[in-house]
Amino acid sequence: MVDALKIGIAGLGTVGAALTRIVQNRAEELAATCGRPIQITAVSARDRQKDRGLKLGGIEWFESPEELAGKADIDLFVELIGGAEGAANRAVRAALSRGLHVVTANKALLAYHGVELATIAEEKGVLLNFEAAVAGGIPVIKALRESLTGNTISRVYGIMNGTCNYILTRMEKENLSFADCLKEAQRLGYAEADPAFDIEGNDTAHKLSILTTLAFGNKIAADDIYLEGITNISIEDIRAAADLGYRIKLLGVAQRTDSGIEQRVHPTMIPIDSVIAQVEGVTNAVAIEADVLGELLMVGPGAGGNATASAVLGDIADIAKSQPGAQRVPVLGHPAAKLEPYRKAQIQSHEGGYFIRLTVLDRTGVFASVATQMAENKISLESIVQRSKQHLSPSSHQTIILVTHATTEEAVRKAVATIRDDGYCVGEPQVIRIERPKA
Ligand code: NAP
Ligand code: HSE
């Protein structure tokens, strides 16, 4: 009889509760696939009295996740609490230091402490798996860490936040307000405990920083990411984008450039006929451009209890099947001690197309002045249109929409700053970068 893999789960919220149900309801199938039973022997959460609809009889309850990680009779510690600091951080360190394998879905923790935690795991010869931390159920960590070995990667990008994609989709399709869509995403268990992390782009940035390290072998640089969330995107932008043949998505993009690695998270206009533009709701998509393989595009559920628990379970199964003392794949794809310093490319040197929406006073010469500023900054235009459609602006104002050919961020910022200073703009100009996926 093979010994069961004894696991302790800290956090019994959306993901922890889904995981507990699956492990308990599929015990026989899991034992058969993993070659040994998987048994939950210890759990921890904040409120012991909460009715979670779970069968917790016979499972040891710990008031503190740290105590669970440090003392419980387990082989593997599963962290599903969240947050870069606090209880999750202390408990994961305690588990690794004790020589336990760890599985976590916590991207914030990895983004800020991933290199340190990987170092401890590698010193102790244990696994630290985190498939669920990026793009929910999509197996992108395994793809980058294992399947693409030998490829040189030039760009990784995608829709990595289910909450934002859900909001943008429902705003476009059903004309719902931003606030109502966010409330619904929270009700469905997609959003972070503090949803500002979703809508301000931080969650995507955390995930992107992890993918960047796996793809390019640099130290994680979560604070060195150009960041814009979706709170500034209006229904007018969504409609104007559609009129021009684009859709707006919150993308995370990491790419190699001559001046270093560019990492950016921002609302992005994507041609409507590309595959990524069709990705709707809570679904995520991650594209990887690699020299040997070509382009890999993975699409799948990006958030929610079951999707995330599925990825956590895959990590647990890998550990159940691993041999004690066996050679381990490095946690971050490259040994933690060999990660390169991060060489950041400044956003000013970003090259690409831009969508610019200006609301201006209805005055003679304004259109010509805008066109002149573009020319003076050597920005070539794909299109420039002036509209007085009521849905875009009140009748005393005009809307000017420009789409540029490839140019630099520096040139666009200079041109827009001068236009703003010229005194005919009403409100802030809207600038959205255009990204052209290969597929
Ligand atoms: P959640 O629903 O808010 O659940 C958090 C759990 O942690 C709750 O059970 C809570 O206890 C427990 N907890 C919080 N602070 C604690 C503390 N100090 N001591 C002990 N327990 C504590 O969060 P979630 O959505 O399941 O997310 C968990 C993790 O998965 C996060 O890192 C999140 O970023 C990540 N993730 C979530 C999703 C998703 O779709 N939800 C997807 C991918 C990754 P109580 O229940 O008693 O309050
Ligand atoms: N809040 C995150 C999202 C959960 O909406 O994508 C999945 O990481």
Side-chain angles (χ1 to χ4, degrees), residues 26-79:
R26 303 194 174 193
E28 277 184 33
E29 292 136 88
L30 284 170
T33 339
C34 299
R36 61 196 288 204
I38 292 175
Q39 195 187 350
I40 302 170
T41 57
V43 291
S44 176
R46 263 181 312 214
D47 179 359
R48 191 168 186 176
Q49 306 313 321
K50 198 187 266 185
D51 179 8
R52 303 170 194 274
L54 298 173
K55 294 175 271 178
L56 298 178
I59 299 178
E60 196 175 0
W61 179 278
F62 283 81
E63 292 301 328
S64 139
E66 209 175 337
E67 204 182 322
L68 189 167
K71 295 198 180 141
D73 176 20
I74 52 174
D75 306 302
L76 161 61
F77 176 67
V78 183
E79 184 276 303

Coordinates of all heavy atoms in Angstrom, one line a residue, residues 26-79:
R26 N -13.5 13.3 -5.7 CA -12.8 12.5 -6.8 C -11.6 11.7 -6.2 O -10.6 11.5 -6.9 CB -12.3 13.4 -7.9 CG -13.4 14.3 -8.4 CD -13.1 14.9 -9.7 NE -14.4 15.5 -10.2 CZ -14.6 16.0 -11.3 NH1 -13.7 16.0 -12.2 NH2 -15.8 16.5 -11.6
A27 N -11.8 11.3 -5.0 CA -10.7 10.7 -4.3 C -10.2 9.4 -5.0 O -8.9 9.3 -5.2 CB -11.1 10.3 -2.9
E28 N -11.1 8.6 -5.5 CA -10.6 7.4 -6.2 C -9.9 7.7 -7.5 O -8.9 7.1 -7.8 CB -11.8 6.5 -6.5 CG -12.2 5.7 -5.3 CD -13.4 4.7 -5.6 OE1 -13.5 4.2 -6.7 OE2 -14.2 4.5 -4.6
E29 N -10.5 8.6 -8.3 CA -9.8 8.9 -9.6 C -8.5 9.5 -9.4 O -7.5 9.1 -10.1 CB -10.6 9.9 -10.4 CG -12.0 9.5 -10.9 CD -13.1 10.5 -10.7 OE1 -13.2 11.4 -11.5 OE2 -13.7 10.4 -9.6
L30 N -8.4 10.3 -8.4 CA -7.1 11.0 -8.1 C -6.0 9.9 -7.6 O -4.9 10.0 -8.1 CB -7.2 12.1 -7.0 CG -7.9 13.4 -7.5 CD1 -8.2 14.3 -6.4 CD2 -6.9 14.1 -8.5
A31 N -6.5 9.0 -6.8 CA -5.5 8.0 -6.3 C -5.0 7.2 -7.5 O -3.8 6.9 -7.6 CB -6.2 7.1 -5.3
A32 N -5.9 6.9 -8.4 CA -5.5 6.1 -9.6 C -4.6 6.9 -10.5 O -3.6 6.3 -10.9 CB -6.8 5.7 -10.3
T33 N -4.9 8.1 -10.7 CA -4.0 8.9 -11.6 C -2.6 9.2 -11.0 O -1.6 9.2 -11.7 CB -4.6 10.3 -12.0 OG1 -6.0 10.2 -11.8 CG2 -4.3 10.7 -13.3
C34 N -2.7 9.5 -9.7 CA -1.4 10.0 -9.1 C -0.6 8.8 -8.5 O 0.5 9.0 -8.1 CB -1.7 10.9 -7.9 SG -2.6 12.4 -8.5
G35 N -1.2 7.6 -8.5 CA -0.5 6.5 -8.0 C -0.5 6.4 -6.4 O 0.1 5.5 -5.8
R36 N -1.2 7.3 -5.8 CA -1.3 7.3 -4.3 C -2.5 8.2 -4.0 O -2.8 9.2 -4.7 CB 0.0 7.8 -3.7 CG 0.4 9.2 -4.0 CD 1.8 9.6 -3.7 NE 2.0 9.7 -2.3 CZ 3.0 10.4 -1.8 NH1 3.9 11.1 -2.6 NH2 3.2 10.5 -0.5
P37 N -3.1 7.9 -2.8 CA -4.3 8.7 -2.4 C -3.8 10.2 -2.1 O -2.6 10.3 -1.7 CB -4.8 8.0 -1.2 CG -4.2 6.7 -1.2 CD -2.9 6.8 -1.9
I38 N -4.7 11.1 -2.2 CA -4.4 12.5 -1.8 C -5.4 12.8 -0.7 O -6.6 12.7 -0.9 CB -4.6 13.5 -2.9 CG1 -3.5 13.2 -3.9 CG2 -4.5 14.9 -2.4 CD1 -3.5 14.0 -5.2
Q39 N -4.9 13.1 0.5 CA -5.7 13.2 1.7 C -5.5 14.6 2.3 O -4.4 15.0 2.6 CB -5.3 12.1 2.6 CG -6.3 11.8 3.7 CD -5.7 10.8 4.8 OE1 -4.6 10.2 4.5 NE2 -6.4 10.7 5.9
I40 N -6.6 15.3 2.5 CA -6.6 16.6 3.2 C -6.6 16.2 4.7 O -7.5 15.7 5.2 CB -7.8 17.5 2.9 CG1 -7.8 17.7 1.4 CG2 -7.7 18.8 3.6 CD1 -9.1 18.4 0.9
T41 N -5.5 16.6 5.4 CA -5.4 16.2 6.8 C -5.5 17.5 7.7 O -5.7 17.3 8.9 CB -4.1 15.4 7.2 OG1 -3.0 16.2 6.8 CG2 -4.1 14.1 6.4
A42 N -5.3 18.7 7.2 CA -5.3 19.9 8.0 C -5.8 21.0 7.2 O -5.5 21.1 6.0 CB -3.9 20.1 8.5
V43 N -6.5 21.9 7.8 CA -7.0 23.2 7.1 C -6.9 24.3 8.1 O -6.8 24.2 9.3 CB -8.5 23.0 6.6 CG1 -8.6 22.0 5.5 CG2 -9.4 22.7 7.8
S44 N -7.0 25.5 7.5 CA -7.0 26.8 8.3 C -7.7 27.8 7.5 O -7.6 27.9 6.3 CB -5.6 27.2 8.6 OG -5.6 28.5 9.2
A45 N -8.5 28.6 8.2 CA -9.1 29.8 7.6 C -9.4 30.8 8.8 O -9.1 30.4 9.9 CB -10.4 29.5 6.9
R46 N -9.9 31.9 8.5 CA -10.1 32.9 9.6 C -11.3 32.5 10.5 O -11.1 32.5 11.7 CB -10.4 34.3 9.0 CG -9.3 35.2 8.9 CD -9.6 36.5 8.4 NE -10.5 36.4 7.2 CZ -10.4 37.2 6.2 NH1 -9.6 38.3 6.2 NH2 -11.2 37.1 5.1
D47 N -12.4 32.1 9.9 CA -13.6 32.0 10.7 C -14.0 30.5 10.7 O -14.6 30.0 9.8 CB -14.7 32.8 10.1 CG -16.0 32.7 10.8 OD1 -16.1 32.0 11.8 OD2 -17.0 33.4 10.4
R48 N -13.8 29.8 11.9 CA -14.1 28.4 12.0 C -15.6 28.2 11.9 O -16.1 27.1 11.5 CB -13.6 27.9 13.3 CG -13.6 26.4 13.4 CD -12.8 25.8 14.5 NE -12.8 24.4 14.4 CZ -12.1 23.6 15.2 NH1 -11.4 24.1 16.1 NH2 -12.2 22.3 15.0
Q49 N -16.4 29.2 12.3 CA -17.9 28.9 12.4 C -18.6 29.1 11.0 O -19.7 28.7 10.9 CB -18.5 30.0 13.4 CG -17.9 30.0 14.8 CD -17.8 28.6 15.4 OE1 -18.6 27.7 15.2 NE2 -16.6 28.4 16.0
K50 N -17.9 29.6 10.0 CA -18.5 29.9 8.7 C -19.0 28.6 8.1 O -18.3 27.6 8.1 CB -17.5 30.6 7.8 CG -18.1 31.3 6.6 CD -17.0 31.8 5.7 CE -16.6 33.2 6.0 NZ -15.6 33.7 5.0
D51 N -20.2 28.6 7.6 CA -20.7 27.4 6.9 C -20.2 27.5 5.4 O -20.6 28.3 4.6 CB -22.3 27.4 6.9 CG -22.8 26.2 6.1 OD1 -22.0 25.3 5.8 OD2 -24.0 26.2 5.9
R52 N -19.3 26.6 5.1 CA -18.7 26.5 3.8 C -19.2 25.4 2.9 O -18.8 25.2 1.8 CB -17.2 26.4 3.9 CG -16.5 27.4 4.8 CD -15.1 27.1 5.2 NE -14.6 28.0 6.3 CZ -14.2 29.2 6.1 NH1 -14.0 29.7 4.9 NH2 -13.8 29.9 7.2
G53 N -20.2 24.7 3.5 CA -20.7 23.6 2.7 C -19.7 22.5 2.5 O -19.8 21.8 1.5
L54 N -18.7 22.4 3.4 CA -17.6 21.4 3.2 C -17.7 20.3 4.3 O -18.1 20.6 5.4 CB -16.2 22.1 3.2 CG -15.9 23.2 2.2 CD1 -14.6 23.9 2.5 CD2 -15.9 22.6 0.8
K55 N -17.2 19.1 3.9 CA -17.1 18.1 4.9 C -15.7 18.2 5.6 O -14.7 17.8 5.0 CB -17.2 16.7 4.3 CG -18.6 16.5 3.6 CD -18.6 15.2 2.9 CE -18.2 15.4 1.4 NZ -18.2 14.2 0.6
L56 N -15.7 18.8 6.8 CA -14.4 19.0 7.4 C -14.2 18.1 8.7 O -13.2 18.2 9.4 CB -14.2 20.5 7.8 CG -14.2 21.5 6.7 CD1 -14.1 22.9 7.2 CD2 -13.1 21.2 5.7
G57 N -15.1 17.2 8.9 CA -15.0 16.2 10.0 C -13.7 15.4 9.8 O -13.4 14.9 8.7
G58 N -13.0 15.2 10.9 CA -11.8 14.4 10.9 C -10.6 15.1 10.3 O -9.5 14.5 10.2
I59 N -10.8 16.4 9.9 CA -9.6 17.1 9.4 C -9.2 18.1 10.5 O -10.0 18.8 11.1 CB -10.0 17.9 8.2 CG1 -10.4 16.9 7.0 CG2 -8.9 18.8 7.7 CD1 -10.9 17.6 5.8
E60 N -7.9 18.2 10.8 CA -7.4 19.0 11.9 C -7.6 20.5 11.5 O -7.2 20.9 10.4 CB -6.0 18.7 12.3 CG -5.5 19.3 13.6 CD -4.1 18.8 14.0 OE1 -3.5 18.1 13.2 OE2 -3.7 19.3 15.0
W61 N -8.1 21.3 12.4 CA -8.3 22.7 12.1 C -7.2 23.5 12.9 O -7.0 23.3 14.0 CB -9.7 23.2 12.6 CG -9.9 24.7 12.4 CD1 -9.4 25.7 13.2 CD2 -10.6 25.3 11.3 NE1 -9.8 26.9 12.6 CE2 -10.5 26.7 11.5 CE3 -11.2 24.8 10.2 CZ2 -11.1 27.6 10.6 CZ3 -11.8 25.7 9.3 CH2 -11.7 27.1 9.5
F62 N -6.6 24.4 12.1 CA -5.6 25.3 12.7 C -6.1 26.7 12.7 O -6.5 27.2 11.6 CB -4.2 25.2 12.0 CG -3.5 23.9 12.3 CD1 -3.8 22.7 11.7 CD2 -2.4 23.9 13.2 CE1 -3.1 21.6 11.9 CE2 -1.7 22.8 13.5 CZ -2.0 21.6 12.9
E63 N -6.0 27.4 13.8 CA -6.4 28.8 13.8 C -5.4 29.7 13.0 O -5.8 30.7 12.4 CB -6.4 29.4 15.3 CG -7.5 28.8 16.2 CD -8.9 29.0 15.7 OE1 -9.1 30.0 15.0 OE2 -9.7 28.1 15.9
S64 N -4.1 29.2 13.0 CA -3.1 30.0 12.2 C -2.5 29.2 11.1 O -2.1 28.1 11.3 CB -2.1 30.5 13.2 OG -0.8 30.4 12.7
P65 N -2.5 29.8 9.9 CA -1.9 29.1 8.7 C -0.4 28.8 9.0 O 0.1 27.8 8.5 CB -2.0 30.1 7.6 CG -2.9 31.2 8.1 CD -3.0 31.1 9.5
E66 N 0.2 29.7 9.7 CA 1.7 29.6 10.0 C 1.9 28.3 10.9 O 2.8 27.6 10.6 CB 2.2 30.8 10.7 CG 3.6 31.1 10.5 CD 3.9 32.4 11.2 OE1 3.1 33.3 11.4 OE2 5.1 32.6 11.5
E67 N 1.0 28.1 11.8 CA 1.1 27.0 12.7 C 0.8 25.7 11.9 O 1.5 24.7 12.1 CB 0.1 27.1 13.8 CG 0.5 26.3 15.1 CD -0.6 26.5 16.1 OE1 -1.1 27.6 16.3 OE2 -0.9 25.5 16.8
L68 N -0.1 25.8 11.0 CA -0.4 24.6 10.1 C 0.8 24.3 9.4 O 1.3 23.1 9.3 CB -1.6 24.9 9.2 CG -2.2 23.8 8.4 CD1 -3.5 24.2 7.7 CD2 -1.3 23.3 7.3
A69 N 1.4 25.3 8.7 CA 2.6 25.0 7.9 C 3.8 24.5 8.7 O 4.6 23.7 8.2 CB 3.0 26.3 7.2
G70 N 3.9 25.0 9.9 CA 5.1 24.7 10.8 C 4.9 23.3 11.5 O 5.9 22.7 11.9
K71 N 3.7 23.0 11.8 CA 3.5 21.8 12.8 C 2.7 20.7 12.3 O 2.8 19.6 12.8 CB 2.9 22.4 14.1 CG 3.7 23.3 14.8 CD 3.3 23.5 16.3 CE 4.2 24.5 17.0 NZ 3.4 25.3 17.9
A72 N 1.8 20.9 11.3 CA 0.8 19.8 11.0 C 1.6 18.6 10.4 O 2.6 18.8 9.8 CB -0.2 20.4 10.0
D73 N 0.9 17.5 10.5 CA 1.5 16.2 10.0 C 1.1 16.2 8.5 O 0.1 15.5 8.1 CB 1.0 15.0 10.7 CG 1.5 13.7 10.2 OD1 2.5 13.7 9.4 OD2 0.8 12.7 10.4
I74 N 1.9 16.9 7.6 CA 1.6 17.0 6.2 C 2.8 16.8 5.4 O 3.9 17.0 5.9 CB 0.9 18.3 5.8 CG1 1.7 19.5 6.3 CG2 -0.6 18.4 6.4 CD1 1.2 20.9 5.9
D75 N 2.6 16.5 4.1 CA 3.8 16.4 3.1 C 3.8 17.7 2.3 O 4.8 18.0 1.7 CB 3.6 15.3 2.2 CG 3.4 13.9 2.9 OD1 4.3 13.6 3.7 OD2 2.4 13.3 2.7
L76 N 2.6 18.3 2.1 CA 2.5 19.4 1.2 C 1.6 20.5 1.8 O 0.5 20.2 2.3 CB 1.8 18.8 -0.1 CG 1.2 19.8 -1.1 CD1 2.2 20.8 -1.7 CD2 0.6 19.0 -2.3
F77 N 2.0 21.8 1.6 CA 1.2 22.9 2.2 C 0.7 23.6 1.0 O 1.4 24.0 0.0 CB 2.2 23.8 3.0 CG 1.5 25.0 3.5 CD1 0.5 25.0 4.4 CD2 1.8 26.3 3.0 CE1 -0.1 26.1 4.9 CE2 1.2 27.4 3.4 CZ 0.2 27.4 4.4
V78 N -0.7 23.8 1.0 CA -1.3 24.5 -0.1 C -1.8 25.9 0.4 O -2.6 26.0 1.4 CB -2.6 23.7 -0.6 CG1 -3.2 24.5 -1.8 CG2 -2.1 22.3 -1.0
E79 N -1.3 27.0 -0.2 CA -1.6 28.3 0.3 C -2.6 29.0 -0.6 O -2.3 29.2 -1.8 CB -0.3 29.2 0.4 CG -0.5 30.5 1.0 CD -1.0 31.6 0.0 OE1 -0.3 31.8 -1.1 OE2 -2.1 32.2 0.2

